[in-house]
């Protein structure tokens, strides 16, 4: 927790914030080893960041006095990430990583090689997804939550969603063996598609290319989804 992310409902009129959830309280005690008087970095969900002084810390409650919050969160990456739904543990980690890296738009997509059972995972419950996004924001010192959309059919995605997504973005499909190398240091709005652990099937790559996406590779090493996404985002932007 490099940032204590506060919900607007945790602030009062006097400029104090109260937090009472066990996760953040335990983190304050055990990782920060915080004691009253300490100044810590805080941010309000969707808003600004700054410092706050810890006034009181008990097993049930932490009270902070906020200094004026004037710092804007860091800029977002110009990318909409379309991720074939990975297995639940990989999903949790990937959501955290990409949130920390500054992705604000995420679509989780069904493809042929996504196990159908993954769509039943409790990791996809809105509150679970929210938890992983919050961990990513706290890690990277950001306050703006990404939006996560579930797209459970490949064909409806291609026909109904993809044309609008590509209207104002360059589409790039990460797929080993493509002739084009992954571009470097771009700043244009991008739609980045990353396949499942078994990869996209050739038909899916064809459909994406027909819709206007370019296939590209990251070199001869086949990376795990979470590693590939991190490598792709850092190389692209
Ligand atoms: N088994 C698949 C690879 C799956 S890796 C195969 O051999 O084709 C999971 C996803 O990570 C891929 O679908 C792709 O989107 C991305 N990825 C991993 N390594 C990559 C590489 N070297 N180049 C491009 N994309 C890669």
């Amino acid at each position: 927790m490099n940032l204590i992310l506060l919900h607007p409902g945790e602030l009062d009129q006097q400029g104090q914030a109260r937090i009472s959830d066990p996760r953040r309280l335990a983190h304050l005690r055990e990782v920060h080893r915080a004691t009253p008087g300490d100044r810590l970095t805080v941010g309000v969900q969707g808003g600004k960041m700054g410092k706050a002084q810890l006034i009181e810390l008990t097993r049930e409650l932490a009270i902070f006095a906020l200094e004026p919050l004037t710092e804007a969160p860091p800029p977002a990456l110009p990318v909409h990430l379309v991720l074939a739904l990975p297995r639940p543990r990989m999903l949790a980690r990937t959501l955290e990583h990409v949130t920390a890296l500054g992705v604000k738009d995420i679509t989780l997509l069904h493809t042929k090689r996504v196990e159908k059972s993954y769509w039943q995972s409790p990791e996809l419950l809105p509150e679970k997804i929210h938890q992983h996004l919050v961990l990513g924001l706290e890690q990277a010192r950001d306050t703006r939550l990404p939006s996560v959309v579930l797209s459970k059919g490949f064909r409806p995605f291609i026909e109904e969603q993809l044309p609008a997504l590509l209207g104002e973005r360059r589409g790039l499909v990460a797929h080993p063996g493509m002739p084009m190398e992954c571009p470097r240091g771009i700043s244009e709005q991008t739609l980045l598609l990353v396949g499942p652990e078994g990869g996209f099937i050739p038909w899916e790559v064809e459909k994406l290319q027909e819709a206007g996406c370019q296939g590209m590779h990251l070199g001869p090493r086949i990376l795990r989804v979470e590693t590939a996404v991190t490598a792709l985002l850092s190389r692209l932007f």
Side-chain angles (χ1 to χ4, degrees):
M1 222 167 39
N2 295 314
L3 170 89
I4 296 158
L5 190 63
L6 301 168
H7 190 271
E10 291 170 328
L11 305 180
D12 68 14
Q13 303 286 339
Q14 286 72 47
Q16 290 198 341
R18 288 177 158 66
I19 66 176
S20 54
D21 65 300
R23 182 186 68 85
R24 282 178 299 172
L25 290 175
H27 196 94
L28 282 170
R29 277 196 308 270
E30 289 153 26
V31 181
H32 287 286
R33 300 195 180 280
T35 51
D38 288 356
R39 278 172 87 235
L40 297 165
T41 305
V42 300
V44 180
Q45 232 179 71
K48 297 265 173 82
M49 314 186 301
K51 294 283 181 194
Q53 193 169 38
L54 184 62
I55 304 288
E56 192 182 320
L57 178 62
T58 66
R59 292 244 140 223
E60 289 84 34
L61 184 69
I63 304 177
F64 289 96
L66 271 58
E67 296 174 14
L69 302 184
T70 53
E71 199 184 331
L77 293 183
V79 69
H80 185 129
L81 175 66
V82 179
L83 189 65
L85 183 67
R87 85 176 86 143
R89 272 184 41 219
M90 179 93 77
L91 171 69
R93 290 198 302 261
T94 307
L95 285 176
E96 261 180 68
H97 292 328
V98 304
T99 303
L101 285 165
V103 175
K104 296 297 171 196
D105 290 291
I106 303 167
T107 296
L108 299 175
L109 177 66
H110 185 69
T111 68
K112 181 81 175 61
R113 293 193 178 137
V114 170
E115 291 250 3
K116 289 229 171 67
S117 64
Y118 294 171
W119 290 103
Q120 312 308 323
S121 160
E123 288 295 332
L124 282 178
L125 293 173
E127 59 269 29
K128 277 293 208 166
I129 289 187
H130 181 84
Q131 273 178 16
H132 299 303
L133 303 179
V134 164
L135 290 176
L137 293 181
E138 289 175 345
Q139 172 61 42
R141 290 195 171 162
D142 189 354
T143 64
R144 284 177 290 158
L145 280 166
S147 102
V148 178
V149 172
L150 310 188
S151 195
K152 297 186 187 175
F154 185 79
R155 205 185 271 273
F157 171 78
I158 294 280
E159 289 168 5
E160 293 156 27
Q161 290 165 263
L162 188 58
L165 289 172
L166 287 176
E168 53 205 25
R169 294 182 187 84
R170 172 180 185 183
L172 292 172
V173 186
H175 190 57
M178 288 279 111
M180 186 175 92
E181 272 194 1
C182 176
R184 294 169 197 266
I186 63 175
S187 53
E188 65 204 294
Q189 290 290 333
T190 303
L191 184 75
L192 173 64
L193 295 106
V194 177
E197 283 152 279
F200 289 115
I201 60 170
W203 177 81
E204 289 165 342
V205 177
E206 267 166 44
K207 287 285 153 198
L208 292 166
Q209 286 174 321
E210 276 169 25
C213 298
Q214 296 172 286
M216 50 85 169
H217 73 85
L218 253 187
R221 295 172 191 274
I222 308 288
L223 304 174
R224 275 172 189 253
V225 173
E226 62 178 320
T227 316
V229 170
T230 309
L232 286 160
L233 292 172
S234 24
R235 173 149 156 171
L236 283 168
F237 306 108

